[in-house]
RNA sequence: GCGCCCGUAGCUCAGUUGGAUAGAGCGACGACCUCCUAAGUCGUAGGCCACAGGUUCGAUUCCUGUCGGGCGCACCA
């Protein structure tokens, strides 16, 4: 980020000095090929037309100006007119003091400063335990939250509890049904009910608390079963999430929303805007005005609300709480629902960009390459709790975050569990542990680890591996910013693998304690400390621990 | 039938405001521990970025079409 900002400032001054307008299409980025210097800028190419000259000629003029900068070692003109800039070593050296000064905040940026965001995720119906798919959504939502906070946003996290409506009735009904069976009644399986074993457990507990359950009228027994099941299942969900290092600050009840008449308020707003109309005895919302395929029903002709109706009211409520950005994380099978939700947000008068949905694709659970059948009846495990218990929290989270969220994920239990180089999480953690080990050894051997890096100490960092490392560390802030902008936390895990790879390479080729030179040892030690800080901060964004030893 | 997502190395996948000779890990083959953790490093092989057009200085990226895969198209939640 320092390299980019430095060039941005210099180039803007040069362009202004030429009486030209700064083009928004300018990119300043590290080139793919190291041969092309530290940073590459396309400024001459995007500015040539405006300057009435050829890209290469313009590049030559700009290069001439940049050469005056003592922090820049070299400027080349390449290809169609790229400027390839190489910084002086001491420019890169000051990356280390920057890391030391920021410490656990290094990598944070001000991209979202002053803006409030809400991330709503998991929000699984409280009718059963979380499964592995929910786990992926939990990892993505939690990590995204951390990334957005690091990028300057004020973020609140929320779990929307669908505790109203038909599925709650079915939940109560299912428990009561199992309770009847437990009491010896011989009943055929109903068509529509929750079949999981956990329902039987809940039924048994309800019976223990209410021995007279069977004597009650169903109108009394059903709510008892429903409420007990809801609380029990929600407790389980809370515990699973806590064990997964995932926190929701707000648990928002759909029932409470309905109770306060939010839906009617929202209907009124839509009517006032001329977007609601009656037809065939139902109340409709004209979502086609906002690009939806067809209009949608809000209130059915039987008088009941649709799920969509309360969802609009819910989002209305979110915006009333003052968020500049609302991010919903949904299972990808709900993608058809996105256009209508976008329509609703627009109809509520909110800017399009203030609402975003991240679709999380299904997780394909494997063991040793073979698909694990997703049958709860067969007792094969697919609950989040069991998966985390088997492979560990760090490995599971890293796996979920090492893929674009909207692509399918093969989750092979044997692979994720494996503590080897097949498993990227250990590769990254090992890099951190290695540094910690070197720092411990330094103390044992009485080699001083400088508390603070000074230019005199850093002057000993002249090797290619050392400068490459500094350049990579300087990119951390850029990675955080783009992950926040794209709502894509997986960028962090790919960057972490790059940093770990650079560290392992460095470690193999550059002795630190055995450098045979105190100045070199001191310089490399402060460099390693900087690397450790970046790895720690990056892993923290993923919610993965950074061990001191392995 | 309509809509959305996807198609990149043998496998799993990165690559987002369009940039240079398209990357990583695994797998395969071959090297490296008297030395700070070998859970590591280095090297080799592997590609018509599904296909065909278009836009321009330049396309894996943007547009159109075709093929192939996944998922949605309720007065369900």
């Amino acid at each position: 980020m320092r390299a980019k900002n430095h060039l941005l400032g210099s180039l803007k001054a040069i362009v202004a000095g030429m009486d030209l307008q700064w083009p928004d299409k300018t990119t300043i980025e590290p080139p793919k090929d190291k041969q092309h210097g530290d940073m590459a800028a396309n400024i001459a190419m995007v500015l040539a037309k405006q300057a009435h000259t050829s890209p290469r000629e313009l590049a030559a003029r700009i290069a001439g100006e940049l050469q005056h900068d003592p922090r820049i070692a070299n400027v080349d003109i390449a290809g169609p007119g790229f400027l390839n800039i190489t910084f002086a070593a001491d420019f890169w050296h000051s990356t280390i003091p920057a890391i030391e000064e920021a410490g656990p905040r290094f990598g944070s940026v001000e991209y979202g400063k002053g803006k409030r965001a809400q991330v709503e995720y998991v929000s699984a119906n409280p009718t059963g335990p979380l499964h592995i798919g929910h786990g992926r959504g939990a990892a993505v939502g939690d990590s995204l939250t951390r990334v957005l906070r690091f990028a300057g946003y004020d973020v609140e996290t929320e779990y929307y509890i669908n505790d109203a409506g038909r599925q709650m009735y079915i939940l109560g009904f299912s428990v009561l049904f199992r309770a009847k069976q437990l009491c010896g009644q011989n009943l055929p399986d109903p068509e529509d009910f929750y079949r999981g074993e956990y329902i039987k457990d809940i039924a048994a507990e309800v019976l223990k608390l209410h021995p007279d359950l069977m004597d009650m009228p169903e109108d009394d027994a059903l709510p008892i079963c429903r409420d007990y099941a809801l609380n029990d299942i929600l407790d389980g969900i809370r515990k699973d999430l806590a064990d997964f290092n995932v926190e929701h600050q707000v648990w928002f009840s759909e029932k409470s929303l309905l109770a306060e008449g939010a839906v009617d308020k929202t209907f009124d707003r839509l009517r006032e805007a001329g977007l609601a109309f009656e037809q065939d005895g139902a109340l409709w919302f004209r979502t086609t005005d906002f690009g939806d395929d067809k209009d949608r029903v809000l209130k059915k002709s039987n008088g009941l609300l649709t799920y969509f109706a309360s969802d609009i009211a819910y989002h209305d409520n979110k915006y009333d709480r003052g968020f500049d950005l609302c991010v919903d994380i949904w299972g990808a099978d709900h993608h058809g629902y996105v256009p209508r939700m976008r329509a609703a947000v627009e109809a509520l008068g909110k800017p399009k960009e203030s609402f975003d949905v991240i679709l999380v694709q299904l997780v394909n659970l494997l063991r040793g390459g073979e698909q694990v059948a997703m049958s709860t009846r067969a007792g094969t495990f697919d609950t989040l709790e069991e998966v985390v218990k088997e492979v560990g929290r760090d490995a599971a989270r890293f796996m979920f975050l090492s893929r674009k969220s909207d692509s399918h994920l093969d989750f092979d239990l044997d692979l994720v569990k494996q503590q080897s180089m097949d498993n990227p999480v250990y590769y990254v953690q090992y890099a951190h542990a290695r540094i910690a080990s070197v720092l411990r050894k330094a103390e044992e051997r009485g080699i001083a680890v400088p508390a603070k890096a000074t230019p005199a100490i850093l002057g000993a960092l002249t090797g290619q591996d050392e400068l490459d490392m500094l350049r990579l560390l300087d990119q951390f802030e850029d990675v955080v910013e783009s992950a926040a902008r794209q709502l894509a936390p997986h960028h962090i895990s790919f960057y972490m693998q790059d940093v770990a790879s650079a560290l392992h390479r460095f470690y193999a080729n550059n002795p630190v304690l055995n450098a045979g030179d105190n100045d070199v040892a001191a310089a490399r030690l402060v460099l390693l400390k900087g690397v450790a800080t970046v790895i720690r901060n990056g892993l923290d964004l993923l919610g993965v621990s950074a061990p001191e030893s392995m």
Side-chain angles (χ1 to χ4, degrees):
Chain A
M1 190 66 111
R2 281 175 55 255
K4 188 175 170 180
N5 286 342
H6 185 79
L7 282 177
L8 197 62
S10 305
L11 289 174
K12 277 191 171 167
I14 292 169
V15 168
M18 291 176 168
D19 283 324
L20 295 171
Q21 292 294 313
W22 179 258
D24 289 334
K25 286 170 72 180
T26 308
T27 57
I28 302 170
E29 53 192 14
K32 286 184 213 161
D33 189 340
K34 277 182 197 163
Q35 305 289 326
H36 296 139
D38 293 336
M39 293 296 265
N42 67 349
I43 179 80
M45 282 139 70
V46 294
L47 205 57
K49 216 172 266 179
Q50 197 191 138
H52 302 293
T53 179
S54 75
R56 286 194 66 102
E57 191 175 317
L58 185 59
R61 284 167 58 196
I62 297 172
E65 298 278 335
L66 281 176
Q67 297 279 14
H68 299 315
D69 187 340
R71 315 192 69 174
I72 289 175
N74 191 42
V75 184
D76 282 328
I77 299 159
F82 284 102
L83 285 169
N84 290 339
I85 296 111
T86 304
F87 283 91
D90 63 357
F91 177 84
W92 291 119
H93 291 163
S94 35
T95 305
I96 296 295
I99 296 173
E100 288 178 349
E101 198 180 324
R105 297 287 304 161
F106 181 75
S108 63
V109 293
E110 301 200 333
Y111 172 74
K113 197 178 179 190
K115 284 191 248 178
R116 292 188 64 214
Q118 188 216 42
V119 179
E120 182 224 320
Y121 64 111
V122 187
S123 298
N125 285 343
T127 54
L130 298 179
H131 57 69
I132 186 169
H134 297 127
R136 186 179 187 184
V140 169
D142 183 69
S143 182
L144 178 67
T145 299
R146 293 160 185 258
V147 168
L148 290 177
R149 283 183 180 142
F150 221 46
Y153 281 96
D154 179 7
V155 186
E156 192 167 283
T157 52
E158 186 152 309
Y159 189 117
Y160 183 53
I161 309 167
N162 289 114
D163 53 3
R166 191 173 141 74
Q167 80 255 352
M168 280 300 105
Y169 169 78
I170 297 175
L171 179 65
F173 171 81
S174 304
V175 171
L176 186 58
F177 169 76
R178 290 300 190 194
K180 286 177 183 168
Q181 281 187 326
L182 286 172
C183 292
Q185 295 187 38
N186 193 5
L187 299 166
D189 279 4
E191 222 165 78
D192 201 6
F193 81 118
Y194 297 110
R195 296 164 189 274
E197 286 297 313
Y198 60 94
I199 296 287
K200 290 184 191 167
D201 299 339
I202 291 171
E205 290 167 35
V206 173
L207 280 173
K208 211 187 292 175
L209 281 171
H210 300 275
D212 56 339
L213 193 71
M214 290 300 114
D215 305 326
M216 296 180 190
E218 290 223 342
D219 283 352
D220 293 338
L222 275 173
I224 288 174
C225 291
R226 181 196 64 204
D227 293 347
Y228 186 88
L230 172 65
N231 288 326
D232 188 75
I233 289 170
L234 266 181
D235 283 348
I237 288 174
R238 283 199 185 88
K239 181 176 181 308
D240 288 349
L241 290 174
D243 289 346
F244 201 41
N245 199 14
V246 168
E247 182 199 331
H248 290 85
Q249 293 167 297
V250 176
W251 292 73
F252 194 98
S253 153
E254 180 186 9
K255 203 156 64 176
S256 74
L257 185 76
L258 300 179
E260 68 188 32
V263 173
D264 288 332
K265 247 190 303 185
T266 299
F267 284 179
D268 288 344
R269 287 186 65 170
L270 294 177
R271 280 200 193 91
E272 279 167 33
L275 293 166
F277 62 96
E278 307 262 352
Q279 187 181 303
D280 304 329
L283 181 68
W284 295 70
F285 173 17
R286 203 186 316 279
T287 51
T288 48
D289 278 13
F290 305 93
D292 197 6
D293 294 344
K294 51 170 296 203
D295 294 329
R296 307 291 173 175
V297 170
L298 297 169
K299 188 184 252 182
K300 297 181 263 185
S301 51
N302 64 8
L304 294 177
L305 297 172
T306 60
Y307 180 84
F308 184 44
S310 61
D311 228 9
I312 300 172
Y314 175 45
H315 283 77
D316 202 5
N317 177 289
K318 288 189 189 191
Y319 279 102
D320 281 349
R321 287 184 266 160
F323 296 113
D324 303 296
L325 174 68
C326 290
V327 181
D328 288 6
I329 297 181
W330 296 350
D333 52 340
H334 289 74
H335 71 260
Y337 200 71
V338 176
R340 104 185 60 155
M341 206 59 238
R342 286 195 189 286
V345 167
E346 273 191 77
L348 294 170
K350 307 303 173 191
K352 268 189 204 172
E353 324 78 66
S354 69
F355 176 69
D356 234 307
V357 179
I358 296 181
L359 297 172
V360 178
Q361 265 295 358
L362 296 177
V363 177
N364 197 15
L365 192 64
L366 309 170
R367 182 185 289 284
E370 297 292 316
Q371 185 141 10
V372 175
M374 286 288 197
S375 158
T376 26
R377 203 179 320 159
T380 53
F381 66 40
D382 54 356
T383 65
L384 177 61
E385 184 193 7
E386 286 168 316
V387 168
V388 169
K389 203 183 286 171
E390 171 159 354
V391 306
R393 180 166 85 190
D394 287 343
R397 286 190 65 125
F398 200 93
M399 191 66 205
F400 285 138
L401 295 167
S402 58
R403 212 126 299 180
K404 216 171 24 179
S405 64
D406 60 356
S407 59
H408 288 271
L409 172 68
D410 283 342
F411 193 103
D412 192 314
L413 290 161
D414 288 340
L415 211 69
V416 177
K417 192 165 49 174
Q418 202 174 324
Q419 304 199 2
S420 75
M421 57 186 173
D422 289 4
N423 199 347
V425 65
Y426 297 112
Y427 183 82
V428 175
Q429 289 183 317
Y430 183 46
H432 185 265
R434 261 190 157 164
I435 295 171
S437 170
V438 172
L439 293 173
R440 278 194 302 272
K441 280 266 160 52
E443 197 173 346
E444 281 172 28
R445 296 192 191 177
I447 297 173
V449 181
K452 206 163 176 245
T454 62
I457 295 170
L458 293 162
L461 298 176
T462 54
Q464 197 55 54
D465 282 353
E466 293 160 339
L467 295 176
D468 284 351
M469 182 65 87
L470 290 168
R471 187 169 38 204
L472 185 59
L473 298 182
D474 182 58
Q475 288 167 24
F476 186 35
E477 293 147 308
D478 302 279
V479 172
V480 170
E481 186 170 309
S482 84
R485 191 174 51 241
Q486 297 175 34
L487 306 178
H490 73 278
H491 285 177
I492 305 292
S493 52
F494 279 88
Y495 175 72
M496 280 294 101
Q497 293 180 68
D498 286 345
V499 174
S501 168
L503 182 277
H504 290 310
R505 183 168 50 250
F506 183 87
Y507 182 91
N509 300 330
N510 303 272
V512 179
L513 306 178
N514 299 333
D517 179 320
N518 286 344
D519 292 343
V520 172
R524 289 182 177 166
L525 281 168
V526 295
L527 175 62
L528 289 195
K529 275 205 294 182
V531 175
T533 299
V534 170
I535 294 178
R536 212 157 36 233
N537 294 359
L539 285 179
D540 188 59
L541 292 177
L542 302 175
V544 172
S545 69
E548 295 292 312
S549 68
M550 289 173 71

